[in-house]
Every structure is written in structure tokens, then in C-alpha cells.
């Protein structure tokens, strides 16, 4: 139905709509506005994010508007494609733009400049100082140090397709060198995955834009190979950002040199750039950005081919494989391609179990980051000089091998230290420097409150059962503004043998809300389970999330339907993340019914760390009372992705004690030894008693923060563990 599509961004209507066809008649009065008072020019050129412009056939307009409304999306006809080859905009009945497309396509008057490119020379790098001095300095460098406190602010597991977490190993500290994500399919499953990696060194680019661009391509592609991909069907896209050149030929020479370097890399490696974005405005007063050409490399692979960079086992030998380098300091392309094939073969055969391609910090950075994920050490032998350990070596690879290698550069050890001869560096001391550098800006190692919580265990042989059995229970999944986990949830439900029903709540108009309420109440009568998925309801409103969800469920018709489901039909309910927040605000957990909550009721509030947390946590089954947990045993440990900013469970000690006594504490955050903890590395939000999930008194309503619906084969390969809570399977069995 959609013929063309463009996103709104810089340039607003003029660009987003103006690029869709040669002839356009745009009615600016029809463009939806957030604010009144904008004149025609402002409407035409103002940036407007989170909107899309689409072209549909005239006969499809009504059908498209209907589909948009069914998804709770506002859609408005604002322009018509014409055959006049002109861009026309009208505002308040007057033409304020009427420009020939031929003129627009000319990009204005021709401009000329004589480019003066500096010689492409990269000085040979030298390293001063000793092994320990350089190592301590390296891990505290802003370009090398931990960015975990920043990365964890973004949802890394949405879509239930994450093959490599941003940080791997049992301590989740080794950064992955590539994004690896399963290809998204709505209802079925696949082992196909996409990979993306970037390359760029501003110091090299500043010295020689030519070398910087060439090595950016090499680095981005090498990261794909190090992650398990083949050197096949690799494509590039470039992000370019340079100082404002004005009429200075030497300033124009920098992007010119960078493009030549990138072009040479593409031609020699036989791969092409299929997209990109550039800006020549990187100047503020007397400050200029360094010449910037960031290369992004993309390809596809299979999940069973993917390898992560953290060291796996003490005793393994570590090899350093390098291409040949030309006199200009760049890798020889034929040698590099041959090395790509060799590394891919070692990974595919299972002989190499981890791999890292050195970047700005050389071999030293690679070895350190490979160590920290699983807390393993490394012993350098005498084969490498300090210059080799800390120097640049783009296009080379550090590989952890399962067999003894005579040419190894060292050995993985079980000691938390990095050694070279008589020099011994504490891994913990290096890690503290590495993580503390940005701790004051991007927190990740704060002290949580309270004493060590009790590790709860509640056993029961008596669970509730439904009055009426159902072979294929229907699961109603409401979608509110901001919900983003409905497809993951529906797939998990269907995989367990239930029949999911995704229902989008329409709140565009009062009539839409009324019709949604009526329809939802009807679907509720036909369903056995209600599942409220996660997301950011209303964009995570001030003073807490989930308020629109709770307002909807407090509608008398819906409230009565929920009561009938739970009290008379023995149905089940569950809410995850944002859904858990809604259940808490409704009183459905821990009370089992919708009530008017007050200050004495439990709540979910902002994480003590003061930011969003996205990572893998370990949870322990604390009670087997709930039908949702019937296929797990008390004490079982289950890994689960979390992604929330308001997950801190708070309640009075008296209430929590009563929940413990009644078996309503379902799951707790636990440490590496399986004990409930307040440690920020395991309890991500500082929940009281390390509570991750609770239930209603009879266990049929279950709320939890962790995204247990984000399960599947080939996921989270660099953070090993059991991820299947089997809660959906247990819910289906409850009705059979």
C-alpha cells in the first residue's frame, strides 16, 4: 500500500514530503501541529521528529487511514502528487512556495574550489615508558575506559533478538565489538542474524585523513570477522563530519583525502558503501572537529557462528595473527583478505573460542577487555615488546585457542592479574581505574541501600486450579500508548501453546476510548489470561509509569470483567515491567483485586542509580505457589533481561514479611552464588528484599520486572545461563 516513505527530520515538511515526488501540492494548513502560532515558513522548514511521510494511491487513502487508526496512529492527508514537476506549498489559501523541480535538482548555482590535499603520511608510532605504566594509563584513557554507565541506559534486548549483549562474561564487563541481532520475524523463528560494527580513530584521522578513512574501513570489517562472520556480502555505510571548509582549499583537502582513503579501501577489499550521511559544519568559533569518517560495516551470519570476545577458560593459549603491512603503514589488502578467511575458519572449526581485533589501544586493550568479562587473568610471554603490546595493529586478531599454540603470545590464567615477566598488574586495580574514569558522569557502581536481604524459600504442594479446563487458552494482550513488547509477548505465548490476541487501545479520541473499552470488555469475556506487556506507557509519565493503563482498567466495565475473570472463572493475569507497574498501582498484586491504593500499599519507584538499567540479571525462584511458576523449583536460578528506570520495589517491612509468609515473593535478584543481594551489579534497582516479582494471595496474578518473554534459541550468547522461566508453558498447562 505504501509506495514511498520518508522520515521527518531536519528540514521538516520541505524535505520529508518534498523528496517523495517531483510534483507535489502541499497544504500546510493540514499539517498537524503541536503548537499554535506557527507561520507558513515555520511549518515548511521546522524539524519534526517521530513522524513519517508516506505516499499511497488515491484509492487507498481511506483504507490506510483505517489501518492507522486501528494501530492508534494519527494519519492526515497533507499533500497530493501532481504531474506538474513543481513543489507547491499553500498556507491560508496562498501559495508561499512554487519552485521548479528542475531548479531544485540543480542544487543551486555551481561552485568550484581548488582542493589542496596534504601528503598522506602517517608517522611511525613509538611507545615510551614501561609495561605497567602504559597499562595503567591505557585503561584510564577516555577513549578506552568503560562506557557501561552510558550504554546501559538503552534497551539492548527489545525485540527478543539480541545475540550478543553489549557487555559479556559472567560479570558483564567485556564489550562486544559488533552488534549482533536476529533478523526480526513476527511469528516464526530464525537463526539468521545481522551484524554491524564501526571503525574510527580520530588521532590517526587528524594526522592523515587518508589513513584514518582506510583504517576505519579495515577496523569495521575486522570487527565483523572477530565476531564470527565470513568475509562475504559485507557492505559499508559512512558517517562523515568535517570542519566548515569555507573557501579554504586546504580545509577542503581533508574530506577529499578521507574519501580517497575510503575509496581505496573499498576497491582493494572489493566491498562497497551503500549509504551514508555527511556534514561540513563541524566548526564553532575557533574550534574544529577532527576529520571524521566513521565506517560502519554490515553483514549477515548464523547465530551458531557467532563468537564473543571474553576469555572463556584458564589454560588456553592466545595467538596474535597479523596481516602484512605496506610501506605506507596500511595493511596489504590481499594479505588481509587471506587473514579474514583464516580467522573465520578457526572460529568456525571451534578451535578459536574468543576473538578480538585490536583498536586504538592495541593488543593491551584487547587482552584487558577479554580478561574482565569472566574475571580471568593473562600471562604475556617474552615474544612481544612494549611497542608491540601498546602499538597500533589494525586488521590483526587476538584469538583464544583451545589447543596449545607454539606461537602463542601468552596464556589465559585463573589469577586476577595481568603479568609479563616479573611485572604483575592487579586486574581489580586496573578494572577500578577503567570503570571509575566516568563513574561521576555515567554511574554504574553506586552503593545500594540496606543490609543483605533474606533469601526467601516457600514450598507448597497445594496450588489453585481452574474450574473449567481449556486446551488452548486465549491470552488477551492489551497495547497502550508506549507499549513496545506486545509482539515478543505474543510469540512467547504462541510458542507455549496458547492463542494470543493483541488488542490496541485507541485513545486518539473520546469515541476511540469508548469503543476500545467496549471491545476489550467483550474480549475479556472470551479470554482465560490477560497479559500486560512492557514498554513506556505514555512515555513514562511524571510521578510514575502506567497511569493510563490503570485508568483504563479502573473503568467499571473493565474492572468488573477482571473480577469475573479472576474470581469466578479462575483466570490468570500477568504484567511485566510496565505491566507490573500497572498491576501494583491497581492493587492486583499483592491483593488479587482492583482496589484504591494508598500510602500503605507497595510501589515501584525510580531506580536508586537514577537512570535506566538494561542488562541481564540473575533471579531465584523464591516460591512455587503461583501457577505461573509451576514448572520451576524453589532455588532455581533463571537469567532474565531487564530494561527499566522505575523498578525499585518498596513496601513496609511488615507487609513484606506477610508476603513472605504467604508465599507471595515469587522471585528475587541474586548474586553469583545464588543469594539475595543489594549489590548494584545484581540488584539493578535496589529493590527491598531484592524483590523482582510478586503474586496475588493465590498466585494467579503475577507481576515481575524482568522480561521473561524475551527468550529464544541463540540469544545472549556472551552471558550464559538458563533464561527460560517456562512461565507461559506453565500457564497453558494450568488450564489443561
Amino acid at each position: 500500500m505504501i509506495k514511498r516513505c520518508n522520515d521527518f527530520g531536519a528540514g521538516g515538511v520541505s524535505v520529508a514530503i518534498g523528496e517523495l515526488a517531483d510534483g507535489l501540492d502541499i497544504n500546510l494548513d493540514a499539517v498537524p501541529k503541536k503548537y499554535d502560532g506557527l507561520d507558513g515558513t515555520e511549518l515548511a522548514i521546522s524539524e519534526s521528529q517521530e513522524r513519517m511521510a508516506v505516499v499511497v494511491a488515491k484509492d487507498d487513502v481511506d483504507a490506510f487511514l483505517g489501518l492507522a487508526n486501528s494501530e492508534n496512529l494519527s494519519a492526515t492527508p497533507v499533500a497530493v502528487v501532481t504531474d506538474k514537476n513543481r513543489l507547491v506549498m499553500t498556507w491560508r489559501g496562498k501559495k508561499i512556495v512554487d519552485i521548479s523541480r528542475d531548479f531544485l535538482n540543480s542544487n543551486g548555482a555551481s561552485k568550484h574550489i581548488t582542493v589542496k590535499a596534504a601528503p598522506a603520511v602517517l608517522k611511525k608510532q613509538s611507545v615510551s615508558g614501561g609495561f605497567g605504566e602504559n597499562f595503567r594509563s591505557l585503561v584510564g584513557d577516555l577513549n578506552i575506559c568503560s562506557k557501561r554507565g552510558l550504554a546501559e541506559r538503552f534497551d539492548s534486548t527489545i525485540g527478543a533478538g539480541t545475540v550478543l549483549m553489549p557487555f559479556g562474561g559472567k560479570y558483564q564487563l567485556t564489550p562486544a565489538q559488533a552488534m549482533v541481532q536476529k533478523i526480526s520475524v513476527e511469528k516464526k523463528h530464525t537463526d539468521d542474524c545481522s551484524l554491524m560494527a564501526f571503525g574510527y580513530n580520530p588521532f590517526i584521522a587528524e594526522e592523515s585523513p587518508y589513513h584514518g578513512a582506510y583504517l576505519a574501513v579495515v577496523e569495521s570489517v575486522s570487527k565483523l570477522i572477530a565476531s564470527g562472520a565470513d568475509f562475504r556480502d559485507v557492505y559499508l555505510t559512512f558517517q562523515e563530519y568535517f570542519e566548515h571548509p569555507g573557501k579554504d582549499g586546504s580545509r577542503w583537502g581533508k574530506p577529499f583525502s578521507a574519501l580517497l582513503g575510503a575509496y581505496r579501501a573499498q576497491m582493494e577489499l572489493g566491498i562497497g558503501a551503500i549509504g551514508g550521511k555527511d556534514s561540513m559544519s563541524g566548526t564553532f568559533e575557533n574550534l574544529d572537529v577532527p576529520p571524521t569518517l566513521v565506517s560502519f560495516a554490515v553483514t549477515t551470519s548464523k547465530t551458531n557462528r557467532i563468537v564473543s570476545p571474553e576469555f572463556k577458560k584458564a589454560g588456553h593459549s592466545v595467538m596474535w595473527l597479523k596481516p602484512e603491512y605496506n610501506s605506507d603503514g596500511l595493511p596489504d589488502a590481499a594479505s588481509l583478505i587471506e587473514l579474514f578467511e583464516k580467522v573465520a575458519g578457526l572460529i568456525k572449526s571451534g578451535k578459536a573460542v574468543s576473538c578480538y581485533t585490536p583498536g586504538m589501544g592495541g593488543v593491551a586493550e584487547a587482552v584487558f577487555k577479554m580478561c574482565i568479562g569472566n574475571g580471568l587473568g593473562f600471562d604475556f610471554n617474552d615474544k612481544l615488546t612494549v611497542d608491540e603490546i601498546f602499538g597500533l595493529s589494525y586488521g590483526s586478531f587476538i584469538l583464544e585457542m583451545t589447543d596449545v599454540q607454539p606461537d602463542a603470545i601468552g596464556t589465559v590464567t585463573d589469577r586476577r592479574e595481568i603479568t609479563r615477566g616479573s611485572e604483575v598488574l592487579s586486574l581489580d586495580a586496573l578494572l577500578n581505574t577503567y570503570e571509575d574514569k566516568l563513574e561521576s558522569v555515567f554511574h554504574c557502581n553506586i552503593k545500594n541501600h540496606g543490609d543483605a536481604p533474606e533469601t526467601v524459600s516457600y514450598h507448597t504442594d497445594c496450588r489453585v486450579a481452574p474450574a473449567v479446563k481449556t486446551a488452548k487458552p486465549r491470552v488477551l494482550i492489551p497495547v497502550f500508548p508506549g507499549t513496545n513488547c506486545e509482539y515478543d509477548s505474543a510469540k512467547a505465548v504462541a510458542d507455549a501453546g496458547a492463542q494470543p490476541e493483541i488488542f490496541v487501545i485507541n485513545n486518539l479520541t473520546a469515541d476511540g476510548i469508548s469503543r476500545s473499552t467496549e471491545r476489550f470488555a467483550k474480549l475479556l469475556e472470551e479470554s482465560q489470561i490477560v497479559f500486560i506487556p512492557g514498554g513506556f506507557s505514555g512515555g513514562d509519565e511524571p510521578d510514575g509509569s502506567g497511569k493510563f493503563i490503570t485508568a483504563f482498567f479502573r473503568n467499571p466495565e473493565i474492572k468488573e470483567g477482571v473480577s469475573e475473570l479472576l474470581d469466578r472463572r479462575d483466570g490468570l493475569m500477568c504484567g511485566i515491567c510496565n505491566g507490573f507497574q500497572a498491576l501494583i498501582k491497581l492493587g492486583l498484586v499483592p491483593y488479587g483485586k482492583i482496589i484504591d491504593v494508598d500510602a500503605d500499599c507497595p510501589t515501584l519507584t525510580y531506580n536508586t542509580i537514577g537512570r535506566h538499567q538494561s542488562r541481564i540479571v540473575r533471579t531465584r525462584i523464591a516460591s512455587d505457589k503461583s501457577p505461573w511458576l509451576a514448572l520451576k523449583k524453589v532455588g532455581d536460578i533463571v537469567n532474565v533481561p531487564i530494561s527499566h528506570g522505575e523498578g525499585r520495589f518498596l513496601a513496609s517491612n511488615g507487609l513484606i514479611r506477610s508476603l513472605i509468609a504467604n508465599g507471595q515473593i515469587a522471585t528475587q535478584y541474586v548474586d553469583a552464588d545464588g543469594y539475595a543481594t543489594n549489590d548494584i551489579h545484581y540488584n539493578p534497582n535496589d529493590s527491598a528484599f531484592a524483590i523482582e516479582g510478586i503474586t496475588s494471595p493465590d498466585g494467579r496474578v503475577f507481576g515481575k520486572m524482568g522480561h521473561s518473554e524475551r527468550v529464544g534459541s541463540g540469544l545472549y550468547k556472551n552471558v550464559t545461563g538458563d533464561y527460560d522461566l517456562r512461565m507461559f508453558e506453565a500457564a497453558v498447562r494450568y488450564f489443561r
Side-chain angles (χ1 to χ4, degrees), residues 481-482 535-547 577-578 581 606 612 643-646:
F536 301 93
S537 172
D540 272 357
E541 310 101 322
D543 302 322
S545 296
K547 290 198 294 294
C577 197
N578 207 186
Q581 292 164 340
Y606 296 100
H612 192 92
S643 183
H644 59 258
E646 300 174 42

Side-chain angles (χ1 to χ4, degrees), residues 60 104 107 119 236 379 427 529:
D60 290 335
L104 289 173
N107 292 317
L236 306 170
D379 181 25
L427 188 66
I529 302 173

Side-chain angles (χ1 to χ4, degrees), residues 654-677:
L655 177 57
I656 291 177
R657 285 294 173 191
S658 69
L659 296 179
I660 292 173
N662 195 40
Q664 290 181 249
I665 305 299
T667 49
Q668 290 179 287
Y669 301 109
V670 294
D671 60 21
D673 296 318
Y675 294 106
T677 180

Side-chain angles (χ1 to χ4, degrees), residues 2 308 400:
I2 295 176
S308 54
E400 178 188 4

Side-chain angles (χ1 to χ4, degrees), residues 225-226 228-230 304-305 307 317-322 338-355 397-403 405:
I225 306 304
D230 290 317
N304 63 1
R305 288 285 314 281
V307 66
S317 296
V318 175
M319 295 176 61
W320 183 25
L321 301 182
K322 298 180 288 183
E338 183 179 344
L339 181 58
F340 287 164
E341 297 296 331
K342 182 175 182 178
V343 171
L346 289 171
I347 293 174
K348 188 183 300 184
S349 69
K351 294 180 179 179
V353 293
S354 70
C355 185
F397 296 88
I398 305 294
L399 297 106
E400 178 188 4
M401 307 297 292
T402 56
D403 54 356
Q405 297 292 323

